[in-house]
């Protein structure tokens, strides 16, 4: 009789909150500076009859603040699939903000047949973000220096918002994130390049960017996401920067849920039903997508 082999550790299921009771299931992934409360401002305005949103805390954040891990987008993608399994969700859509956009793409890579639609909100591309010199030092120092976090939030929202809001964002970030995890996450979302794994993906994608975000701009989306995903389109919110959920919550909900609504429910026999028309502005969105590809 051979040596006893211990059973594998069970997959980690991130702590989460469920909002809504609708048949279209959605996992909404937060970004680098916040936990699942990143979506707090939009929750009063979502369609709870059409959608059920799962809002997880990634490792190092919120209720998972003290959970050890690699703190990589690949690991987080596996964690989200474990969450979907835990919830009994065979198919679902994914919304990802900033770093969460890279995590959402890891889910697409690992299980493309399970993802109905993907929305990237000011979302990191699958080839990372080129941060060099002083810019890299500012981001790398954000883990230990709250003034760096404040400067980054201010810069990426166009230096337009009240000091009290910036201070609130920083206080929340410090309280609900682990500094060592935050620093480790940076190495993954900024430097990992897995774009060859998403090239040619047919998962429908919508990119939502803020006109006042100087980093993850519409042009960046055209050079990255829109080249790699076959069915991708772009929407720019004129009054937002890098944090549309806080800056323009009503506009963000409309941009997200109009796109999700274009996906009809699965047919009873398990086959995917044809896409239904999106609510409002379908032709305009198709035009914007065509322009983006031609840029």
């Amino acid at each position: 009789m051979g040596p006893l082999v211990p059973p594998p550790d069970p997959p980690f299921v991130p702590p989460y909150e469920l909002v809504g009771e609708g048949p279209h299931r959605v996992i909404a992934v937060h970004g680098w500076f916040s936990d699942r409360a990143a979506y707090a401002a939009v929750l009063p305005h979502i369609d709870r009859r059409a959608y059920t949103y799962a809002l997880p805390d990634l490792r190092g954040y919120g209720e998972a603040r003290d959970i050890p891990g690699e703190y990589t987008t690949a690991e987080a993608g596996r964690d989200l699939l474990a969450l979907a399994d835990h919830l009994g969700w065979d198919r679902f859509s994914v919304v990802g903000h900033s770093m969460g956009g890279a995590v959402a793409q890891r889910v697409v890579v690992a299980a493309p047949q399970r993802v109905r639609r993907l929305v990237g909100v000011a979302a990191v591309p699958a080839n990372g973000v080129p941060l060099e010199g002083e810019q890299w030092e500012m981001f790398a120092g954000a883990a230990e220096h709250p003034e760096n976090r404040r400067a980054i939030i201010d810069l990426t929202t166009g230096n337009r918002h009240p000091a009290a809001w910036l201070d609130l964002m920083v206080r929340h970030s410090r309280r609900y994130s682990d500094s060592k995890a935050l620093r480790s996450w940076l190495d993954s979302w900024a430097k990992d390049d897995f774009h060859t794994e998403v090239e040619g993906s047919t998962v429908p994608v919508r990119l939502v960017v803020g006109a006042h975000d100087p980093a993850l701009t519409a042009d960046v989306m055209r050079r990255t996401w829109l080249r790699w995903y076959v069915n991708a389109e772009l929407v720019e919110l004129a009054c937002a920067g890098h944090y549309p959920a806080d800056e323009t919550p009503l506009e963000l909900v409309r941009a997200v849920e109009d796109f999700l609504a274009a996906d009809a429910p699965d047919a009873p026999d398990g086959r995917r039903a044809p896409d239904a028309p999106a609510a409002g502005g379908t032709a305009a969105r198709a035009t914007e997508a065509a322009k983006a590809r031609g840029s």
Side-chain angles (χ1 to χ4, degrees):
M1 184 175 178
L4 294 176
V5 178
D9 293 333
F12 170 67
V13 176
Y16 64 93
E17 174 185 0
L18 287 181
V19 180
E21 307 83 33
H24 192 144
R25 294 147 174 178
V26 186
I27 298 177
V29 194
H30 63 79
W32 188 42
F33 278 159
S34 187
D35 61 342
R36 65 183 186 238
Y39 294 100
V42 304
L43 296 183
H45 313 297
I46 63 173
D47 185 345
R48 299 181 183 221
R49 293 173 296 179
Y51 307 101
T52 299
Y53 287 86
L55 308 170
D57 284 329
L58 300 178
R59 299 182 194 228
Y61 296 91
E63 292 183 35
R65 191 177 188 275
D66 298 323
I67 300 297
E70 302 167 2
Y71 308 118
T72 64
T73 59
E75 177 186 63
R78 296 191 295 270
D79 290 346
L80 294 188
L81 286 171
L83 172 60
D85 292 342
H86 171 77
L87 294 170
W89 293 3
D90 181 52
R91 297 189 73 240
F92 50 90
S93 294
V94 189
V95 176
H97 172 246
S98 195
M99 176 181 83
V103 174
Q105 292 178 89
R106 291 292 194 175
V107 177
V108 170
V109 169
Q113 74 285 357
R114 299 183 66 175
V115 180
R116 294 173 65 166
R117 297 203 152 213
L118 190 163
V119 181
V121 181
V124 170
N127 64 343
V129 178
L131 299 171
E132 298 178 353
E134 292 183 0
Q135 196 174 44
W136 174 260
E137 293 303 318
M138 175 182 286
F139 277 73
E144 297 296 337
H145 301 290
E147 63 271 21
N148 287 35
R149 301 191 200 196
R150 192 181 193 279
I152 291 167
I153 295 169
D154 193 22
L155 172 67
T156 58
T157 52
N159 306 112
R160 300 175 303 129
H161 295 314
W165 179 77
L166 297 172
D167 294 340
L168 176 66
M169 294 285 282
V170 173
R171 283 198 304 272
H172 185 91
S173 179
R174 294 183 69 195
R175 182 175 180 182
Y176 292 101
S177 66
D178 176 78
S179 60
K180 292 182 179 179
L182 193 85
R183 178 61 187 83
S184 295
W185 274 109
L186 175 64
D187 287 335
S188 181
W189 67 256
K191 294 182 177 181
D192 289 349
D193 184 350
F194 60 99
H195 80 275
T196 57
E197 299 179 61
V198 304
E199 281 185 301
S201 172
T202 58
V203 172
V205 174
R206 169 170 279 191
L207 287 314
V208 182
V209 298
H212 296 278
D213 185 348
L216 292 169
T217 63
D219 188 53
V220 169
M221 299 303 132
R222 293 182 183 110
R223 297 197 310 264
T224 57
W225 287 78
L226 287 165
R227 289 185 178 180
W228 304 329
Y229 288 87
V230 174
N231 298 316
E233 61 186 52
L234 175 66
V235 172
E236 185 174 72
L237 302 183
C239 296
H242 189 68
Y243 294 87
D246 292 281
E247 298 171 272
T248 56
L250 295 177
E251 288 84 352
L252 179 60
V253 170
R254 187 66 190 267
V256 170
E257 293 191 346
D258 277 5
F259 181 69
L260 296 181
D263 189 275
D266 290 343
D269 63 0
R271 293 175 299 173
R272 183 179 171 185
D275 282 353
T282 304
R285 285 197 298 275
T287 300
E288 169 60 19
K291 288 180 180 177
R293 289 185 181 283
S295 297

